[in-house]
Each structure stands twice: as structure tokens, then as C-alpha cells.
Amino acid sequence: MGVCSHDLHLRDTTSKGVQLLQQAGIESVRTDAHWAFLERKRDQLKVERHWPAYLAGNEAQGIESMFILGYGNRFHGNGEKPRSEPVRAAFNRYVAFTAQQFRGRIKHYEIWNEWDVEDPIDPQFTQDYARLITDAAGIIRQHDPDAKVLAGAVTTKGIESGFALRLVEAGIMQSIDGLSLHPYVHCRNRGKNTPEAWIEWLAEVDLELSSAANQPVPLYLTEMAWPAHQGACGIDETLQAAYLARSFFLAKTLPNVRGYWWYDFRNDGTDKREREHNFGLVRQDYSLKPAYRVLETISPIINNFEFVGRVGNSPDSVQLQFSNGQEQLLVAWAPDRPRPATITATGKTTGDLKLLDTAQPDKGWSSFKAWQCASDTGTCTAQIELDRFPKIVSLGEAASPDTGQTLTISTR
């Protein structure tokens, strides 16, 4: 579970951002290690003075870092993509220098960012990137063999245009640890821009890519979010928080998805009508948005529980079961409108019902004796209402696999 952040480039390394990251349960931060910043003079590579201090701050909080290696450099091909031999050679020197300087400190390297934006259709454009990936991955492994190497950063248009598929068909999975995707859907038509429609589409992409590779393709969602702005493709901050919770839970239903980095940590500006200013978990001044509060609440589950399976087949609600080996959770919501629901427990029920409502994250877990049990059947029921925010239900120790207990939710 990660976020994208631009705070590496703040010269104030005492920023309170790192404490907020740790508090929210963030495990990884993805940031730009601009080629142009490391080579500010031709053929002279130098680390920005404040970068080591920034990394040390993250490391002190147990937060890993992902560096994006990319973007042009004006000294080489006037900042063009490294497609010609001289520019490729200069780019590879930059990759080698970065891997040497930060050996053991960067968990993931991502080779370039959204290469496909310029031309997601031209096969030669794809092949040039595939070659860059192969060269850079080999260089990174030579200088920092413990780092994981990702590539792709393929946009939604690139996925739909076959760019990601062509990369896999070109054999890049032999060189890298995972394919990175940026599967934004916020500008799709109504009904196709929800987390539920998103995961359905992503499952199809997952299947297509793995079929082409003849093996599972590890997928890293290194950018994904819904912006909360006043304008086209925008939603309000409350719905952004609900979508965040639903998308993180749904991402865990696809085994090939190995990570999800919300874009981004902090709003890039203060204009409420500007889309690029309103993707963040926190505002420009680091004040907390509802999305941050929700992520802080669900992160222990996202980080520590595994997806068990879907429960029921109701078209009106989503029900997902999770377990950490000792406790079982049922996560449920109604995407369209609030609906009354009945929780049914079969088997031995000894404890109170525990409920966490992500719509009210500050309240935390609540317990209440809501069960109505039938002595002849051993079945107990409780009433709740589902809405667009996930509700998380637990029976504590009574819901361990050894009891043979099951927990379901039915809507009406």
C-alpha cells in the first residue's frame, strides 16, 4: 500500500508529511528521481543535497521508496526520449549512477513514467521502450541486485490501445519484476467510473496480459485515484474517500496485483476547479481530507489481512471476506443507494458483533449485542444498513476457521 509524492523535492526535510504517511499505514512512497535534477551540468552527475535526508526520514518510519527513473535531460537530445544511441547511452549512465548512489535504499525502481502517452499505437515506439527497459533493468541489477525493477507505467489509453500487451509480447517480463499500470477511470461514462466497474475491467486486463505471457504477470498499480475537484470528471471529497476504501479492498481480490499507490499524497495546488490540484489524501497545507481518515482506518486490514473470497451474489451489494488466520472479516457495501441488510451467523456465536463503519472512521470499532438467535437452528441475525462506504464486520475469536462458523449479509 503506497502513495505517490513530490515531497522529495522539498528542501525542508522536516516536513510533517512523513509522520502523516506513517500514521496512515503507508508502506511505500513513489517519487521522481529526475534525470534533469541529477545531471544539472553536462556529464556531471550529482545527488541533490536534500535527497539523502528525505530518504532517511522515510526509513526511520519504516517506509520504503520507489524511484521513477526518467524524463528527459536538455543536454542530451534536447530532452527527447532516449530512443537514439547517444541519448540511450547518457540515460544508462544516469541509471547506473542512481543505482550506485542509492544501493540498498530504494526498494523499487520504475523505468520511465507513462512512455506511451506520446504514441500508444506505433509498434516501433513500443519496441524502443522495450529496449530501454532491458538495458536499464540489467544495469540496476548489476549495481543494486536486491532492488525490484518495474516498468510500463502504462496509462489507461495505453492499456486500451495494446501498448501494455505489446510490451509483454516483446518479452520484457524476462527482465523486470512487475508491470506497472496507471488504470484511471474517473473520466469514463457514468457507471463505468466506479471502483466496481474498474476492478471488473482490470480483471480482464490481468487475464489478457497473463495469457500473452503464458504465466501470471505481477501488476503494480503505481498510480491510481479519483480526483475530488469541481469540474469535468470530478467528485466531492466524501465520495473520493468512499471510492478509495472500495478500490483498495477490491484490488486485493486480484492475486496478481502486488501493490497500489494512490496518486497522490498531497494536493498539488489549491484551485478547487483544477483536476491536478485535487487528487491528494491531504490538502496543500497538509490538512486531512476524508480520504486520509479512511485510509488510516482501513490500512491495518489492507496490510495484514488476505482476501478469502466473495460472499453471496447479490446485485445490490458487494461482500468480501478477509482473514489473517485468526480472525475473519466481512467487508460489505451497497454502491448505488443505502439498503437495509441482515447479517446471518451460523455456528457457535459467543461474542458481540464488532462493526467498523468507514463512513465514520474516527469512531473506530464498535461492539453491540445485536444478535437475535434461534435456539433450534443455531442461527443468529443482526440488522445493519449498507451504504456506499464499506462496513467491516468481525466476530473476533468466535469467527476463527476452527469454529466452522459462517457469516453472510443479505440486502432487501
Side-chain angles (χ1 to χ4, degrees):
M1 189 175 76
V3 294
C4 303
S5 174
H6 308 298
D7 283 4
L8 171 68
H9 306 298
L10 296 178
R11 297 188 181 276
D12 176 14
T13 56
T14 63
S15 165
K16 65 180 180 181
V18 65
Q19 284 78 30
L20 292 175
L21 291 170
Q22 191 275 337
Q23 184 177 319
I26 298 298
E27 298 176 303
S28 173
V29 173
R30 174 181 182 261
T31 193
D32 305 296
H34 291 276
W35 181 9
F37 290 0
L38 289 171
E39 189 176 341
R40 292 185 181 273
K41 296 182 179 179
R42 179 185 290 274
D43 299 329
Q44 295 183 30
L45 291 155
K46 183 179 179 181
V47 173
E48 297 278 271
R49 292 180 62 182
H50 55 284
W51 285 15
Y54 171 83
L55 292 177
N58 282 354
E59 290 163 354
Q61 300 292 340
I63 299 171
E64 299 170 351
S65 294
M66 177 191 297
F67 267 5
I68 307 167
L69 300 173
Y71 310 102
N73 187 295
R74 63 189 178 92
F75 300 121
H76 305 284
N78 293 318
E80 68 181 23
K81 283 183 170 67
R83 301 180 68 189
S84 65
E85 192 56 45
V87 182
R88 269 198 300 267
F91 178 78
N92 288 340
R93 287 195 297 273
Y94 146 72
V95 172
F97 174 80
T98 306
Q100 289 171 341
Q101 293 296 312
F102 296 101
R103 179 186 176 100
R105 301 190 71 178
I106 305 301
K107 179 64 178 292
H108 298 92
Y109 282 100
E110 188 172 33
I111 303 168
W112 212 266
N113 182 56
E114 298 187 349
W115 178 284
D116 65 287
V117 168
E118 186 178 332
D119 189 344
I121 299 174
D122 179 20
Q124 185 57 54
F125 192 70
T126 309
Q127 286 297 325
D128 288 345
Y129 180 46
R131 174 176 175 179
L132 189 78
I133 292 170
T134 301
D135 291 347
I139 292 168
I140 293 168
R141 297 195 193 287
Q142 177 185 353
H143 296 290
D144 194 354
D146 293 331
K148 288 186 177 295
V149 182
L150 312 178
V154 187
T155 66
T156 296
K157 186 175 181 180
I159 297 169
E160 295 172 333
S161 302
F163 185 87
L165 182 61
R166 289 195 299 275
L167 287 178
V168 171
E169 291 174 339
I172 65 158
M173 299 313 301
Q174 299 176 27
S175 301
I176 61 177
D177 296 292
L179 181 70
S180 56
L181 302 176
H182 297 174
Y184 293 102
V185 296
H186 55 275
C187 275
R188 288 187 170 178
N189 294 334
R190 183 177 178 85
K192 296 184 178 181
N193 60 354
T194 65
E196 295 73 34
W198 168 73
I199 203 66
E200 187 175 328
W201 168 60
L202 200 59
E204 295 172 355
V205 172
D206 177 19
L207 181 61
E208 179 184 48
L209 295 175
S210 292
S211 296
N214 292 316
Q215 62 182 19
V217 174
L219 301 177
Y220 290 76
L221 312 183
T222 55
E223 281 190 27
M224 180 58 202
W226 282 262
H229 69 284
Q230 300 169 5
C233 310
I235 56 177
D236 61 41
E237 290 186 351
T238 300
L239 187 55
Q240 181 191 45
Y243 278 10
L244 177 146
R246 283 151 57 178
S247 64
F248 266 99
F249 283 122
L250 288 169
K252 289 185 71 71
T253 68
L254 296 181
N256 286 339
V257 172
R258 307 297 174 82
Y260 177 176
W261 284 256
W262 182 268
Y263 183 89
D264 53 348
F265 170 56
R266 184 164 70 116
N267 279 358
D268 290 336
T270 58
D271 186 347
K272 294 184 180 298
R273 296 186 178 277
E274 171 55 52
R275 182 188 311 171
E276 294 303 318
H277 286 192
N278 293 280
F279 278 94
L281 297 172
V282 301
R283 301 182 184 90
Q284 179 75 8
D285 62 359
Y286 292 98
S287 61
L288 306 183
K289 295 167 67 175
Y292 178 91
R293 292 295 192 188
V294 169
L295 188 62
E296 180 184 23
T297 298
I298 68 172
S299 61
I301 300 170
I302 300 300
N303 290 334
N304 301 314
F305 282 72
E306 296 299 324
F307 174 65
V308 175
R310 289 181 179 263
V311 180
N313 55 4
S314 169
D316 301 323
S317 64
V318 177
Q319 302 175 39
L320 309 175
Q321 188 175 4
F322 294 87
S323 175
N324 64 359
Q326 298 179 336
E327 181 182 14
Q328 292 188 48
L329 302 176
L330 188 62
V331 181
W333 64 89
D336 298 326
R337 61 178 177 82
R339 298 176 183 276
T342 301
I343 304 174
T344 302
T346 59
K348 186 179 179 182
T349 303
T350 59
D352 294 348
L353 180 69
K354 287 176 58 182
L355 179 68
L356 177 61
D357 186 354
T358 60
Q360 303 177 70
D362 292 341
K363 290 187 176 182
W365 288 94
S366 60
S367 298
F368 59 97
K369 296 183 181 296
W371 294 113
Q372 296 179 0
C373 299
S375 58
D376 55 336
T377 63
T379 299
C380 298
T381 60
Q383 305 301 316
I384 62 171
E385 183 173 89
L386 298 182
D387 55 30
R388 60 186 181 178
F389 277 87
K391 284 187 168 60
I392 305 164
V393 183
S394 170
L395 294 183
E397 295 180 0
S400 67
D402 295 337
T403 66
Q405 191 176 67
T406 61
L407 191 65
T408 60
I409 293 181
S410 57
T411 57
R412 61 185 187 277

